[in-house]
Amino acid sequence: MSAHLGNGESIALGDLPVLSVAALRDEVIGGVARGRRLAAYFGAGRRGDALRVVAVVAGDDDGELLACAADVSGSYDALTPDCPQAHWFERELAEQWGVEPRGHPWLKPIRRIPDAFFRVDGEEVHEVAVGPVHAGVIEPGHFRFQCHGEEVLHLEIALGYQHRGVERALVGGPDRRTLAYMETLAGDTTIGHALAHALVREALGGGGAPPRALAIAGIALELERLANHIGDLGALAGDVGFLPTAAYCGRIRGDVLNATAQLCGNRFGRGLVRPYGLDHDVDDALREDLQRRLAAARQDFAVADRLLWDSPSVMARFEGTGLLSLDVCDEIGLVGPAARACGAERDVRQNHPHGIYRFVHIPICTWPTGDVFGRAHVRSIEVQRSFAFIQELLDSLPGGPVALERPAPPAADRLAVALVEGWRGEICHVALTGADGRFARYKVVDPSFHNWFGLALAMRGQQISDFPLCNKSFNLSYCGHDL
Amino acid sequence: MIKTTLARLQQKHRTTRYPDGPPPSLPDRYRGRPVIAAGACPEGCRQCADECPTGAITLEGSVGLDLGKCLFCARCEAVCPAQAIRFGRDHQLAASRREDLVLGPEGARLAVELSDRLRRLLGRSLKLRVVSAGGCNACEADTNVLSTVGWDLGRFGIQFVASPRHADGLLITGPVTAAMRPALRKTWEAVPEPKIVIAVGACAISGGPFLGHAEQHDGAASTVPVDLHIPGCPPHPLTILDGLLRLLGRIPEPEAGG
């Protein structure tokens, strides 16, 4: 049996059920078979020879999070053959802690460059290697394609070039660097990760941020979604050579980043979200300034967006490219717009609402096609909904302070879980504190952790020349994955 | 065709006229170059240094603030009882030499332009290869934004290119992770001489938030020689542009600090 908790809640470590490995397998495999998802699965630390593993399973229908643990030593029967969602987690577990998930079909490190890549042999099969240094202004990663002519038979993605040792450094915190780590876990998701961290801290210490802070944090999170979605739509247009929308969206994205900077002085939202509140408030002048900026950006975006969808040459390149079925999406546990573009109703804001999303509803947008078109379309609708959400919230900000005067320190010996719907999808932070109230383990699961394998599968049977387009339609984080 | 034309008219001409006209406006809460007040510190006070996430502040006689390590979080300003550190609005931060990034009460020494020979070669056409070596995608994004229509970096003859063989230099972001060090070194070796190196952001200058981590190398200078340092976390695009133009001697006279 697992412990039940809600998003942004904590339990005493003594209440975390420590099961046999077989019972943990049943909990996870059974839960996922009934439509739940594996949100986190990680090693929490050694006890003698044994490794304590913790699993967090998310129920999107009932908003529940189920946590359980087990002690494994040496090797154990892998979850992956019965629960493919676990495959990346188990590879990480083996890499970080040296335990062996027996029967894992593809046990390789995820943050170390592999000695050998999967190879397809055949007379006319050839291999294409790309990276780690790419052609654009972009983070490093290595892609290894097995091709037959133009057709991609298999893509292997090797990451780890961005590994900065953040999870290791978070142990012993919170300290003066903790917030800086949160804001740079994935720099384009500064608000999302800072918010997840704030939820974890508040769950551990009790209490929470005041209502006005929740509303402004929601505005900041949607601004982050706007900037990135608009940027992605522009980049998708650029990748099929449709320059008008590419040029306009590139600039409009900047207008949204500038709106975020009006909030807190930094275009990526650094220095805004803190545990128990915000470092900056919104006065009447700023509220009007933001409304004016957003109204202009919304209008400019509507024109650039319409132009994109009205261009048959663009649609011809988007439709049917980089297909993923809903079955595959569920099997590998895809999150975010990539999952919603396969028809999955998966959105933390709806399924596990926290903060302002408990009070103000933002509708989920899904599309059934699972291709580049779907992923672009979902973004386009989400941009419109985020604009509307922010503009509505700005007009109805609750009164009161934006921060508590005395934030509580984390309590000792607890486990806290927080989910936030970042612009790429579900961000999951899990913290375990020790007897001293310090982080004994801080686990970060960026949405990219779930989705990189989705990109690899979406490339199967595609032309290699469509890789940039498919890649951009996922736009995953390298550093968020590598940590 | 008619739709495209109408959209084009609606979007208007949006490229900044800077540096011929005024620079784009900075956000009201922008945190630019800090100003340090001489002799303001209370006896024995160390609050700023204790609060700083990266240890950017030294207190030997007077306050020294290393912009190469500074994340511009302004915690120091918030905790200082004497307003000895105040974040100003000056976006001009780039320096040629690493030691010039350490700010005291006397103000800053800004970047100097390239030697005459390099400026003759690169002053009107500078092609840069960007290498992210552990960057969090913020410095990358605000470097990339210079290529959008709002900034139009191309009008200065500066362009980001796809191959080091086509480049006159590297623009590096990130603290240089262990895994990226060989790739960075190889990319640098592949750039033909003479070449320059620009480090953008606290990570590339000092390791930033990751300073001291065993998994990285505390910045680009660990691996390649650096000619221009552009501080920030991330630097505002205007700060990056200022650094690039300063290097090429395209900004006439450094304005007085403040």
Side-chain angles (χ1 to χ4, degrees):
Chain A
M1 283 306 291
S2 299
H4 290 233
L5 64 167
N7 187 11
E9 291 179 6
S10 70
I11 52 169
L13 276 183
D15 294 334
L16 175 70
V18 181
L19 312 173
S20 67
V21 175
L24 178 131
R25 283 175 49 86
D26 287 347
E27 280 291 303
V28 173
I29 294 166
V32 170
R34 287 191 297 276
R36 297 178 186 272
R37 284 179 308 107
L38 188 56
Y41 178 57
F42 59 96
R46 291 200 177 278
R47 280 163 175 69
D49 281 347
L51 172 69
R52 169 76 43 99
V53 295
V54 174
V56 178
V57 176
D60 292 340
D61 294 335
D62 52 17
E64 287 207 332
L65 302 172
L66 284 74
C68 62
D71 289 331
V72 302
S73 39
S75 66
Y76 72 100
D77 286 333
L79 298 163
T80 303
D82 301 304
C83 173
Q85 284 184 20
H87 77 124
W88 212 258
F89 287 111
E90 289 197 310
R91 285 172 63 170
E92 182 188 46
L93 200 64
E95 179 179 35
Q96 286 186 338
W97 300 95
V99 297
E100 187 202 351
R102 269 191 313 269
H104 191 291
W106 208 28
L107 199 56
K108 293 178 107 171
I110 62 167
R111 297 192 179 97
R112 233 173 303 137
I113 317 316
D115 302 328
F117 292 91
F118 180 81
R119 234 179 111 141
V120 178
D121 286 318
E123 209 171 303
E124 292 179 351
V125 174
H126 65 105
E127 193 175 63
V128 179
V130 181
V133 179
H134 299 292
V137 181
I138 173 179
E139 296 175 66
H142 182 85
F143 302 97
R144 192 67 69 99
F145 299 88
Q146 310 294 318
C147 298
H148 180 255
E150 279 284 293
E151 187 191 351
V152 176
L153 300 174
H154 179 77
L155 160 62
E156 185 169 347
I157 301 172
L159 300 170
Y161 294 94
Q162 295 282 72
H163 181 54
R164 300 156 296 173
V166 185
E167 278 188 356
R168 184 186 55 74
L170 284 167
V171 171
D175 57 34
R176 59 187 183 172
R177 274 202 200 177
T178 304
L179 286 170
Y181 289 136
M182 292 302 152
E183 294 185 332
T184 53
L185 279 170
D188 48 31
T189 316
T190 294
I191 298 286
H193 278 291
L195 206 51
H197 176 67
L199 285 175
V200 157
R201 278 287 310 275
E202 292 157 12
L204 289 170
R212 190 174 176 84
L214 300 182
I216 298 172
I219 290 171
L221 186 66
E222 296 309 318
L223 282 173
E224 189 166 87
R225 194 179 325 279
L226 279 182
N228 285 293
H229 279 6
I230 293 171
D232 282 351
L233 284 165
L236 283 166
D239 275 340
V240 297
F242 188 66
L243 298 184
T245 298
Y248 307 147
C249 283
R251 180 188 63 74
I252 300 164
R253 172 179 169 278
D255 291 346
V256 178
L257 293 177
N258 288 338
T260 302
Q262 284 297 97
L263 265 181
C264 65
N266 181 291
R267 283 159 51 94
F268 296 86
R270 289 178 189 176
L272 180 66
V273 178
R274 300 285 173 252
Y276 295 99
L278 309 174
D279 263 2
H280 297 277
D281 199 355
V282 176
D283 59 19
D284 281 346
L286 176 54
R287 190 169 52 80
E288 279 162 31
D289 173 69
L290 288 174
Q291 286 286 29
R292 193 175 40 75
R293 284 168 185 267
L294 291 170
R298 190 177 188 177
Q299 193 186 359
D300 287 351
F301 173 76
V303 173
D305 186 55
R306 194 67 263 151
L307 197 56
L308 182 76
W309 303 107
D310 279 350
S311 301
S313 60
V314 173
M315 294 305 103
R317 295 279 281 111
F318 280 13
E319 284 167 2
T321 306
L323 277 170
L324 275 183
S325 69
L326 180 57
D327 285 346
V328 169
C329 159
D330 286 342
E331 219 173 353
I332 63 173
L334 227 52
V335 296
R340 294 193 283 279
C342 297
E345 297 211 354
R346 192 167 298 158
D347 188 323
V348 173
R349 294 172 294 172
Q350 184 104 338
N351 305 133
H352 308 272
H354 56 86
I356 192 66
Y357 301 103
R358 290 189 174 145
F359 309 106
V360 186
H361 183 72
I362 192 162
I364 295 192
C365 166
T366 64
W367 193 256
T369 54
D371 51 3
V372 171
F373 177 94
R375 292 186 281 276
H377 180 72
V378 166
R379 284 182 172 91
S380 167
I381 303 294
E382 289 187 359
V383 167
Q384 296 166 33
R385 293 195 172 148
S386 293
F387 268 126
F389 179 86
I390 296 169
Q391 289 174 316
E392 185 191 323
L393 263 187
L394 277 172
D395 279 338
S396 56
L397 282 179
V402 290
L404 292 196
E405 278 188 21
R406 284 200 181 75
D413 292 320
R414 292 192 80 81
L415 173 146
V417 184
L419 302 182
V420 167
E421 187 71 20
W423 64 275
R424 281 193 187 93
E426 178 182 285
I427 297 164
C428 176
H429 286 205
V430 187
L432 286 82
T433 53
D436 53 359
R438 301 258 151 202
F439 297 138
R441 177 76 163 110
Y442 197 102
K443 182 69 204 148
V444 174
V445 187
D446 188 85
S448 307
F449 191 90
H450 299 282
N451 284 10
W452 273 111
F453 194 60
L455 169 62
L457 293 181
M459 276 310 293
R460 291 203 176 157
Q462 300 292 308
Q463 299 215 339
I464 190 168
S465 50
D466 276 339
F467 176 67
L469 181 62
C470 288
N471 189 23
K472 183 49 79 175
S473 75
F474 283 85
N475 193 10
L476 301 173
S477 174
Y478 299 76
C479 59
H481 173 276
D482 292 345
L483 299 174
Chain B
M1 183 64 203
I2 186 78
K3 282 179 188 163
T4 315
T5 310
L6 287 173
R8 177 69 192 82
L9 290 172
Q10 187 273 337
Q11 300 279 344
K12 303 191 192 78
H13 178 269
R14 302 292 187 101
T15 306
T16 171
R17 302 186 66 79
Y18 179 80
D20 296 333
S25 67
L26 290 162
D28 299 340
R29 291 170 174 172
Y30 174 72
R31 296 180 290 277
R33 172 140 42 91
V35 182
I36 293 168
C41 297
E43 188 69 28
C45 177
R46 298 193 39 87
Q47 288 194 55
C48 57
D50 290 343
E51 192 72 23
C52 179
T54 57
I57 298 173
T58 51
L59 298 166
E60 282 150 14
S62 61
V63 177
L65 204 172
D66 185 352
L67 291 183
K69 294 180 181 170
C70 182
L71 305 181
F72 293 78
C73 67
R75 289 301 303 153
C76 50
E77 183 184 61
V79 298
C80 178
Q83 294 181 310
I85 302 178
R86 192 175 52 75
F87 278 78
R89 295 189 55 76
D90 189 353
H91 68 273
Q92 303 168 101
L93 300 170
S96 305
R97 296 187 307 172
R98 177 68 183 87
E99 56 269 31
D100 288 344
L101 291 173
V102 181
L103 208 62
E106 67 281 359
R109 197 175 294 132
L110 293 166
V112 293
E113 57 195 71
L114 294 166
S115 69
D116 281 352
R117 186 177 80 95
L118 271 177
R119 194 152 57 91
R120 267 199 308 277
L121 274 171
L122 307 177
R124 301 197 318 160
S125 169
L126 176 65
K127 309 293 171 192
L128 295 170
R129 171 65 270 204
V130 176
V131 179
S132 169
C136 74
N137 208 21
C139 286
E140 289 80 349
D142 265 355
T143 299
N144 223 355
V145 85
L146 293 175
S147 301
T148 64
V149 291
W151 300 87
D152 190 16
L153 196 60
R155 67 201 157 108
F156 305 106
I158 307 173
Q159 193 189 355
F160 301 121
V161 293
S163 165
R165 297 284 191 212
H166 302 160
D168 304 304
L170 297 184
L171 188 153
I172 301 169
T173 58
V176 184
T177 50
M180 271 307 286
R181 193 182 202 186
L184 173 60
R185 184 80 200 174
K186 279 186 193 169
T187 308
W188 181 77
E189 283 166 359
V191 178
E193 293 277 2
K195 52 191 161 194
I196 60 169
V197 172
I198 301 165
V200 172
C203 289
I205 299 173
S206 69
F210 315 104
L211 189 151
H213 285 203
E215 294 86 351
Q216 54 80 55
H217 294 282
D218 287 346
S222 63
T223 307
V224 295
V226 177
D227 302 286
L228 179 70
H229 306 81
I230 306 180
C233 186
H236 193 277
L238 189 56
T239 301
I240 303 175
L241 181 61
D242 170 77
L244 295 174
L245 295 181
R246 209 166 275 285
L247 192 69
L248 300 181
R250 305 278 293 258
I251 291 192
E253 278 298 307
E255 290 170 30

